[in-house]
């Protein structure tokens, strides 16, 4: 049983005053000191524990962390106006850059959420223009609407526990939310792999929170597949979220699961049969009738409004009463009468803390600023007991109460909840040495992230991109006319991709992912289920597969297995403990601080400086340095050539390829965000391509579609893959290819450039290393030439620019990392450790 004193002691959760760089909290120290068997692997684990928190973008939370693709990203998108992606502009022409939200000296964590419904997510993306953030994400609170809060972010000083967790284990910096919308659809994607009853484009896509209702959905969920295959699982929460459980408004914020258990929305789990709910129904109905009477009296009164009346409106109260009266007919023993398989589903999905005598109670906490509240009971009561007694199932999901969920609607208390999960797991060393803990987030709220998500092209419009044959993206797009037919309000209805959504944090803690690694493979919400498929199939020789996941997602989404490495038996470095102060009090204190003010509109000269790469003086500097980086199964290429053989004028041909020569069956396909610049009919255009492993895609455009007949194309892929091509009809180059250098069918870790001329007339090319310090090369080409770049000094990272000597325009730029199947380090130029 956890007392209030225990809560405060553990809830130190490392306020900025208590934690500092290089120091790990006790829970992380303990995890690092518990070793599994030498040479064991993640497949020797027996438990996977998964916590999906709420509404934070990657840049917002971890963009300042050392060695991740954050605010130092050297080859980030340039917007249509030429500005770096971090420079966002309002409709009034005011331009802002990201700024720090000081969690202690400002009231930033008490300023509530930003808009994040489907329409605002799509509007921020703006058909890939990626310039709609400031207008789409204005605060719903009038006093904050002129603040560029979407660009606000935190640092290690603000979130030391999360930074320490990333430094101790593995952080994923190419992890995207599954859907370009709000919480509930993202969680549906997470637990079911889809948003549709049927995997057909004609089936309704549930793209908004309010389109779901308790027990209103029926398609198959992943826990059902586990149960059908005999794999044990549980979903832990203090209390369920969608039912009238007799909790007051304040109690709900500390004790309910905030609607974060999506299984409540699926009929097969029979949420309304919950025994504790049924037992409380008579009392709940009486309370609802009393609330309705008060609300009606207050509404009819001509005097001052009674502020003690609950904030729920009359219609909401009456709807709740009608549901409760309907559910009363089910009866308190209904769950016990369910067929055995349905009863087991029900019991495993709604593991609540009914055994804790205080699980529905809160208590007051005295602080120098006044009284606040905390739970009186143990919000981990059942989870803690199962870990202590060795009864933890193979797969566990957790859902936090609102105040611990990390949702910006509440102050940022969530680090305590994450810390306590680690504390509970590591208190039983035999459990921790066989456990994988996955911390992830459902969506970005309204907070900016600088990496545009990879999206499916419009299946009805071939000009928006392409996918490899056999990849189905029909269910990955939604149209405005369909939304209107679903009853979505006209001002909210949008045409756009289902996903992916924006980057969100993911940290994987386990004995096989410790060491402060970064993994830069593309992951999204179905990646966790794909990992569970692989894990349980390998361990139990069963055939678990989530058929709802589209082939488009499976082509691009990793299954998390590249995160793990065998335990090598080495002990971690000796680490100091931190001095701890009560965390709740430190966060409550911030409520009385002024709003953040460390932002201002940029002047013209500052915008020019930003375009020239001088950003750090405007928005701060990401932590310097690199971190070990996981090997990735990518063999990616993109090339541009000119084709004049079709008889309809010269065309610019782009070919994207995801090779499978290096990694064979382990090779991964990839999405590519392609930007056509300087177009006559609109400046910048974004297109989406997805290439399956071992496949290639070609697309082309008339050369005269570009201003002055000069094409300009940029290609972005995962882990900093970047290509830029400029050219015109009279270029002397026939083809220019950048390839992995291979010896005996294996990559050496270097690249080679192959240059071929159009004819026998010689020309000269200049090849410059833009980032990693290699000497420039000048090469005369008659017919063809090959130039090799040794990348040992940059750990396989490259960034080379090729120009025709004496030419006016021709240019190609190639950047990324050569994957060899061996671990490397994060981008040393991004980490500012390269001397160029």
């Amino acid at each position: 049983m956890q007392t209030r004193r225990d809560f405060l002691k553990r809830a130190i959760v490392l306020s900025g005053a208590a934690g500092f760089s290089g120091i790990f909290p006790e829970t992380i120290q303990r995890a690092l000191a518990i070793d599994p068997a030498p040479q064991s692997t993640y497949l020797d684990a027996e438990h996977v524990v998964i916590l999906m928190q709420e509404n934070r973008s990657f840049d917002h939370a971890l963009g300042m962390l050392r060695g991740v693709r954050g605010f130092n990203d050297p080859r980030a998108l340039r917007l249509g106006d030429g500005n770096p992606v971090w420079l966002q502009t309002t409709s009034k022409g005011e331009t802002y850059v990201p700024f720090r939200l000081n969690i202690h000296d400002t009231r930033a964590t008490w300023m509530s959420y930003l808009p994040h419904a489907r329409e605002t997510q799509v509007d921020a993306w703006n058909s890939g223009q990626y310039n709609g953030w400031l207008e789409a994400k204005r605060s719903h609170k009038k006093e904050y609407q002129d603040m560029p809060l979407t660009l606000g972010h935190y640092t290690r000083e603000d979130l030391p526990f999360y930074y320490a967790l990333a430094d101790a284990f593995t952080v994923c910096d190419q992890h995207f939310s599954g859907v370009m919308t709000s919480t509930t659809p993202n969680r549906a994607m997470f637990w079911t792999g889809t948003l549709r009853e049927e995997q057909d484009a004609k089936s309704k896509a549930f793209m908004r929170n309010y389109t779901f209702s308790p027990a209103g959905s029926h398609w198959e969920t992943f826990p059902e597949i586990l149960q059908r295959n005999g794999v044990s699982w549980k979903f832990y929460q203090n209390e369920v979220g969608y039912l009238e459980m007799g909790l007051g408004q304040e109690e709900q914020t500390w004790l309910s699961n905030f609607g974060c258990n999506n299984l409540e929305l699926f009929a097969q789990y029979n949420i309304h049969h919950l025994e504790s709910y049924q037992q409380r129904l008579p009392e709940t109905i009486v309370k609802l009738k009393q609330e309705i009477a008060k609300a009606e009296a207050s509404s009819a009164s001509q005097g001052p409004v009674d502020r003690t009346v609950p904030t729920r409106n009359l219609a909401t109260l009456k709807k709740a009463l009608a549901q409760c009266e309907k559910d009363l007919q089910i009866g308190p023993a209904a769950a016990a009468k369910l067929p055995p398989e349905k009863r087991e589903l029900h019991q495993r999905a709604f593991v609540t803390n009914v055994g804790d005598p205080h699980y529905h109670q809160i208590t007051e906490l005295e602080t120098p600023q006044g009284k606040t509240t905390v739970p009186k009971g143990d919000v981990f009561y059942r989870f803690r007991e199962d870990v202590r007694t060795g009864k933890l199932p193979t797969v566990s999901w957790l859902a936090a109460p609102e105040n611990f969920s990390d949702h910006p609607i509440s102050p940022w208390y969530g680090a305590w909840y994450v810390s306590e999960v680690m504390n509970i797991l590591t208190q039983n060393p035999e459990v921790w040495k066989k456990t994988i803990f996955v911390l992830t987030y459902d969506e970005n709220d309204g907070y900016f992230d600088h990496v545009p998500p990879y999206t499916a092209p419009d299946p009805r419009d071939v000009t928006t991109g392409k996918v490899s044959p056999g990849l189905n993206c029909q269910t990955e797009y939604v149209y405005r006319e369909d939304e209107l037919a679903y009853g979505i309000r006209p001002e909210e209805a949008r045409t756009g991709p289902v996903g992916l959504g924006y980057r969100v944090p993911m940290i994987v803690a386990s004995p096989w992912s410790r060491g402060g690694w970064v993994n830069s493979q593309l992951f999204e919400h179905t990646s966790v289920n794909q990992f569970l498929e692989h894990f349980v199939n390998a361990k139990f020789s069963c055939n678990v597969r989530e058929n709802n996941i589209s082939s488009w997602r499976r082509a691009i989404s990793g299954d998390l297995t590249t995160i793990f490495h065998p335990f090598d038996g080495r002990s971690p470095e000796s680490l100091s403990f931190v001095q701890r102060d009560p965390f709740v009090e430190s966060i409550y204190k911030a409520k009385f601080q002024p709003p953040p003010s460390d932002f201002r509109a940029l002047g013209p000269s500052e915008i020019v400086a930003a375009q020239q790469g001088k950003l750090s003086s405007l928005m701060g500097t990401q932590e310097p340095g690199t971190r070990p980086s996981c090997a990735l199964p990518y063999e990616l290429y993109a090339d541009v050539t000119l084709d004049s053989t079709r008889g309809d004028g010269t065309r610019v041909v782009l070919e994207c390829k995801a090779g499978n020569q290096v990694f064979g069956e382990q090779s991964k396909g990839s999405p590519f965000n392609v930007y056509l610049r300087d177009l006559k009919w609109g400046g910048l255009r974004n297109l989406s391509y997805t290439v399956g492993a071992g496949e290639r895609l070609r697309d082309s455009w008339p050369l005269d579609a570009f201003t002055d007949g000069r094409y300009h194309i940029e290609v972005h892929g995962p882990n900093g893959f970047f290509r830029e091509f400029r050219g015109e009809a009279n270029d002397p180059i026939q083809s220019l290819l950048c390839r992995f250098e291979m010896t005996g069918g294996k990559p050496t870790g270097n690249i080679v450039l192959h240059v071929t001329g159009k004819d026998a007339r010689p020309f000269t090319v200049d090849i410059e290393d833009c980032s990693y310090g290699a000497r420039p090369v000048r090469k005369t080409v008659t017919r063809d030439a090959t130039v090799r770049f040794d990348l040992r000094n940059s750990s396989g990272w490259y960034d080379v620019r090729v120009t025709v000597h004496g030419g006016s325009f021709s240019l190609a730029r190639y950047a990324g990392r050569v994957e060899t199947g061996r671990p490397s380090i994060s981008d040393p130029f991004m980490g500012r450790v390269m001397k160029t």
Side-chain angles (χ1 to χ4, degrees), residues 21 64 140 193 261 351 374 411 434 541 635 651 668 771 784:
S21 177
M64 284 291 187
H140 64 96
N261 180 348
V351 180
V374 291
K434 297 178 181 179
S541 299
E635 185 187 348
R651 298 186 69 85
K668 200 65 187 172
S771 302
D784 55 68

Side-chain angles (χ1 to χ4, degrees), residues 258-269:
F258 198 34
C260 289
N261 180 348
N262 259 51
L263 304 186
E264 297 181 34
L265 304 175
F266 288 83
Q268 54 267 43
Y269 290 92

Side-chain angles (χ1 to χ4, degrees), residues 724-735:
E724 182 179 17
F725 304 100
R726 297 173 182 251
E728 53 192 354
N730 60 0
D731 287 343
I733 296 176
Q734 176 65 35
S735 69

Side-chain angles (χ1 to χ4, degrees), residues 171-185:
V171 59
C172 303
D173 69 352
Q174 294 285 278
H175 173 239
F176 294 81
S177 56
V179 190
M180 196 182 291
T181 185
S182 50
T183 288
T184 310

Side-chain angles (χ1 to χ4, degrees), residues 56-59 62-63 65-70 162 165-167 169-177 437-441 449 451 502-509 513 516-524 527-528 558-564 627-630 632 719:
R56 303 286 179 172
S57 80
F58 187 90
D59 276 349
L62 297 175
L65 178 68
R66 169 181 57 87
V68 299
R69 196 155 296 278
Y162 292 108
L165 195 65
D167 285 345
F169 296 103
T170 299
V171 59
C172 303
D173 69 352
Q174 294 285 278
H175 173 239
F176 294 81
S177 56
F437 173 44
V438 180
L439 170 65
T440 183
Y441 287 74
D449 186 82
V451 178
Y502 302 107
R503 280 196 312 171
V504 291
M506 174 184 274
I507 299 173
V508 178
S513 58
W517 291 71
V518 61
N519 187 294
S520 299
Q521 186 174 1
L522 189 151
F523 301 135
E524 48 92 24
S527 293
V528 174
D559 63 4
L560 307 189
T561 55
T562 56
I563 289 173
F564 304 100
R627 61 179 60 226
S629 179
C630 300
L632 308 178
N719 196 25

Side-chain angles (χ1 to χ4, degrees), residues 417-661:
Y417 192 90
V418 178
S419 176
E420 191 64 6
V421 173
M422 292 290 294
N423 179 55
I424 292 167
L425 290 170
T426 56
Q427 282 182 341
N428 187 336
E430 292 306 310
V431 170
W432 176 249
K433 67 175 60 175
K434 297 178 181 179
T435 294
I436 296 166
F437 173 44
V438 180
L439 170 65
T440 183
Y441 287 74
D442 56 11
E443 42 105 345
N444 63 300
D445 196 79
Y447 289 106
F448 171 82
D449 186 82
H450 83 276
V451 178
Y454 301 98
T455 62
D458 183 347
R460 300 179 185 175
D461 185 354
V462 296
T463 68
T464 62
K466 294 182 177 182
V467 300
S468 290
L471 300 186
N472 183 4
C473 62
Q474 297 293 320
T475 60
E476 297 288 350
Y477 223 82
V478 174
Y479 300 93
R480 187 172 188 272
E481 60 267 28
D482 293 332
E483 294 216 308
L484 293 173
Y486 301 155
I488 303 300
R489 291 187 288 268
E491 63 271 21
E492 296 177 359
R494 295 291 187 276
T495 290
V498 170
L500 304 177
Y502 302 107
R503 280 196 312 171
V504 291
M506 174 184 274
I507 299 173
V508 178
S510 76
W512 307 279
S513 58
R514 73 189 197 188
W517 291 71
V518 61
N519 187 294
S520 299
Q521 186 174 1
L522 189 151
F523 301 135
E524 48 92 24
H525 284 345
T526 70
S527 293
V528 174
N529 284 354
Q530 291 185 59
F531 170 71
L532 292 175
E533 290 174 347
H534 168 83
F535 178 76
V536 300
N537 289 341
K539 287 189 71 69
F540 304 121
S541 299
C542 51
N543 187 28
V544 167
R545 182 177 174 85
E546 176 56 84
N547 292 320
N548 291 336
I549 301 174
S550 70
S551 57
W552 177 78
R553 287 180 185 264
R554 286 193 182 272
I556 65 174
S557 306
D559 63 4
L560 307 189
T561 55
T562 56
I563 289 173
F564 304 100
H565 37 271
F567 178 65
D568 58 12
R570 290 185 296 181
S571 298
E573 298 178 7
S574 177
L575 304 168
S576 302
F577 287 86
V578 294
Q579 182 182 1
R580 305 186 298 175
D581 292 317
F583 176 63
V584 169
E585 183 176 324
S586 71
I587 293 295
Y588 184 71
K589 180 180 178 181
K591 184 177 183 179
F592 305 95
Q593 298 296 324
S597 59
D598 193 20
F599 57 86
R600 58 179 177 80
L602 302 184
S605 62
E606 291 173 311
I607 293 174
V608 171
Q611 292 176 344
Q612 295 172 347
K614 301 172 183 177
L615 273 167
S616 59
S617 62
L618 299 174
M619 65 181 200
T621 305
Q622 185 178 342
E623 295 175 343
T626 62
R627 61 179 60 226
S629 179
C630 300
L632 308 178
Y634 286 136
E635 185 187 348
L636 307 183
Y637 308 104
D639 305 296
V640 163
T641 56
L642 293 180
D643 180 7
S644 302
T645 64
R646 294 176 44 167
D648 57 352
T650 301
R651 298 186 69 85
V652 184
V653 181
L654 170 69
E655 180 176 277
C656 297
K657 178 181 176 181
N660 61 354
Q661 179 181 356

Side-chain angles (χ1 to χ4, degrees), residues 296-368:
E296 288 176 334
S298 178
S299 176
S301 172
Q302 299 300 313
V305 175
D306 183 358
R307 298 299 179 185
T308 66
V309 174
T311 57
R312 292 186 295 178
N313 63 39
L314 193 58
T316 300
L317 290 168
K318 289 183 176 180
K319 182 178 180 181
L321 177 61
Q323 184 65 56
C324 287
E325 290 176 333
K326 176 182 177 183
D327 292 340
L328 190 62
Q329 306 306 312
I330 297 174
K337 297 176 182 178
L338 290 170
E341 66 278 7
K342 290 187 177 181
R343 184 167 66 250
E344 185 177 359
L345 268 182
H346 174 85
Q347 292 171 341
R348 290 185 176 277
F350 309 124
V351 180
T352 64
N353 293 328
V354 291
D356 183 349
H358 303 297
Y359 92 109
H360 266 206
Q361 298 176 31
I362 57 176
T363 187
E364 289 186 340
L365 169 67
E366 293 279 358
T367 79

Side-chain angles (χ1 to χ4, degrees), residues 250-264:
E250 180 73 4
E251 285 85 355
Q252 286 186 38
T253 64
W254 288 110
L255 305 176
S256 172
N257 71 16
F258 198 34
C260 289
N261 180 348
N262 259 51
L263 304 186
E264 297 181 34

